[in-house]
C-alpha cells in the first residue's frame, strides 16, 4: 500500500533535498516547492496528505500561505506542520491560530520532523467515534463523528485544534485542566507547551462560540474548565 503524499515548502535547496530524501526513504511520495506562490499552486492542482511549510519564504511568506490554504475549500483540511526558527513565538502562535497542526524549530532533526509528521497523520486518520454519538450541553451540540459543532443552532467553523480542545473540555464539565494537560490530550505529550499557544486556542473558541463562550471558564493560576450545568 502506497504511503501518503507530502508537499515540502522551503526556499533553501539543501533543506528541501534533506527533507525530500528522508521522506522518500520512508516511502512517502514527495513534492517540493521553493516559494509560497509555487506551494499554493501545487496544493491546488495536486492534493496532498500533509504540507511541511517553512515560514520564511520569499514573496508570500509561510503564514500567508497557511492562511490561504485554510480559506480554500479544497485545501482547508490538509494538515500543516510548520518549520520555524527558534524563538519566533509570535509566528508559532499565529500559525497555530490559523489551524496549523504542529511545528518544528530550525535547526531540526529529520527524524524528529518525520515523527511529528507521522503523529499528525495518525491523529487525522484515527478511527472516528461513532457517527451517532453527539455530545449536547445546553445550546451546544458536538457531533464527534462528523466533527461538527453547533451553538444555539448556528453551525461553527472550527479549526482542527479548536474542535479537539472544545471536545476535550466539554466532555468533562467541571473538571479543571492545566494547559499542559490540554496540550497532552490534543497533540500528544511530546508537544512543546507554551501558555500562549493554549490561550490562543481558547480565545479563538470563545470568539466563535459567541455568547456560549462563557462556558469555557478560566481558573486563575491553573488552567481552564467547561462550566457545569
Amino acid at each position: 500500500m502506497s504511503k501518503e503524499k507530502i508537499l515540502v515548502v522551503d526556499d533553501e535547496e539543501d533543506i528541501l533535498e534533506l527533507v525530500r530524501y528522508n521522506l522518500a526513504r520512508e516511502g512517502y511520495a514527495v513534492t517540493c516547492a521553493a516559494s509560497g506562490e509555487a506551494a499554493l499552486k501545487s496544493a491546488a492542482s495536486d492534493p496532498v496528505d500533509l504540507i511541511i511549510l517553512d515560514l520564511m519564504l520569499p514573496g508570500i511568506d509561510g503564514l500567508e500561505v497557511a492562511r490561504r490554504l485554510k480559506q480554500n475549500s479544497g485545501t482547508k483540511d490538509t494538515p500543516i506542520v510548520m518549520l520555524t526558527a527558534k524563538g519566533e513565538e509570535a509566528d508559532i502562535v499565529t500559525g497555530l491560530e490559523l489551524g496549523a497542526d504542529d511545528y518544528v524549530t530550525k535547526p531540526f532533526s529529520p527524524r524528529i520532523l518525520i515523527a511529528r509528521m507521522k503523529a499528525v497523520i495518525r491523529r487525522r486518520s484515527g478511527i472516528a467515534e461513532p457517527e451517532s454519538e453527539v455530545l449536547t450541553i445546553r445550546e451546544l451540540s458536538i457531533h464527534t463523528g462528523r466533527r461538527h459543532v453547533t451553538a444555539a443552532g448556528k453551525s461553527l467553523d472550527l479549526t482542527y485544534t479548536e474542535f479537539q480542545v472544545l471536545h476535550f473540555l466539554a466532555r468533562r464539565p467541571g473538571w479543571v485542566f492545566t494547559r499542559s494537560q490540554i496540550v497532552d490530550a490534543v497533540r500528544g505529550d511530546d508537544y512543546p507547551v507554551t501558555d500562549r499557544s493554549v490561550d490562543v486556542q481558547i480565545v479563538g473558541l470563545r470568539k466563535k462560540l459567541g455568547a456560549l463562550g462563557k462556558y469555557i471558564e478560566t481558573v486563575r493560576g491553573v488552567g481552564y474548565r467547561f462550566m457545569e450545568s
Side-chain angles (χ1 to χ4, degrees):
M1 183 177 178
S2 61
K3 287 228 179 182
E4 291 84 356
K5 295 172 64 177
I6 312 297
L7 171 60
V8 183
V9 187
D10 201 297
D11 64 322
E12 297 183 52
E13 186 175 345
D14 56 342
I15 291 181
L16 269 183
E17 177 56 26
L18 175 66
V19 177
R20 186 207 63 77
Y21 170 79
N22 282 277
L23 288 178
R25 192 171 63 176
E26 291 283 326
Y28 293 98
V30 185
T31 302
C32 295
S35 69
E37 291 86 349
L40 291 169
K41 183 177 179 180
S42 179
S45 62
D46 185 19
V48 294
D49 297 290
L50 182 138
I51 298 172
I52 296 174
L53 178 63
D54 182 29
L55 294 186
M56 301 296 290
L57 295 170
I60 302 175
D61 66 20
L63 290 176
E64 180 60 25
V65 170
R67 182 178 290 106
R68 295 189 189 185
L69 289 171
K70 293 304 180 182
Q71 290 175 344
N72 186 299
S73 60
T75 56
K76 68 177 184 178
D77 294 324
T78 304
I80 297 173
V81 174
M82 302 185 305
L83 286 178
T84 180
K86 288 185 177 180
E88 295 180 342
E89 181 175 311
D91 285 343
I92 291 169
V93 168
T94 301
L96 294 174
E97 188 173 24
L98 288 172
D101 295 84
D102 204 344
Y103 70 90
V104 174
T105 56
K106 291 182 178 180
F108 63 92
S109 159
R111 292 179 61 186
I112 291 176
L113 174 62
I114 292 173
R116 291 288 190 86
M117 186 194 79
K118 287 180 176 179
V120 169
I121 292 174
R122 282 197 304 270
R123 291 197 299 267
R124 286 295 186 119
S125 62
I127 299 174
E129 296 178 59
E131 287 204 3
S132 59
E133 184 170 336
V134 179
L135 178 61
T136 302
I137 303 176
R138 305 183 188 86
E139 306 98 323
L140 184 68
S141 178
I142 304 172
H143 199 303
T144 53
R146 295 177 182 173
R147 305 188 65 79
H148 181 252
V149 177
T150 59
K154 179 182 177 181
S155 181
L156 303 184
D157 184 17
L158 302 184
T159 67
Y160 175 85
T161 304
E162 286 170 346
F163 180 92
Q164 294 291 95
V165 172
L166 176 62
H167 183 246
F168 176 68
L169 294 175
R171 65 184 179 179
R172 299 176 179 86
W175 288 31
V176 180
F177 296 98
T178 66
R179 293 170 176 83
S180 294
Q181 288 174 317
I182 293 171
V183 172
D184 288 351
V186 172
R187 296 183 181 272
D189 58 12
D190 63 342
Y191 192 82
V193 181
T194 68
D195 289 355
R196 178 65 174 148
S197 65
V198 177
D199 294 343
V200 163
Q201 301 300 331
I202 297 296
V203 169
L205 267 176
R206 284 173 171 162
K207 182 177 180 180
K208 292 180 180 180
L209 286 168
L212 303 188
K214 65 183 180 182
Y215 294 149
I216 301 178
E217 299 180 313
T218 300
V219 180
R220 190 177 299 276
V222 182
Y224 296 97
R225 69 182 170 201
F226 199 89
M227 184 188 298
E228 288 187 285
S229 300

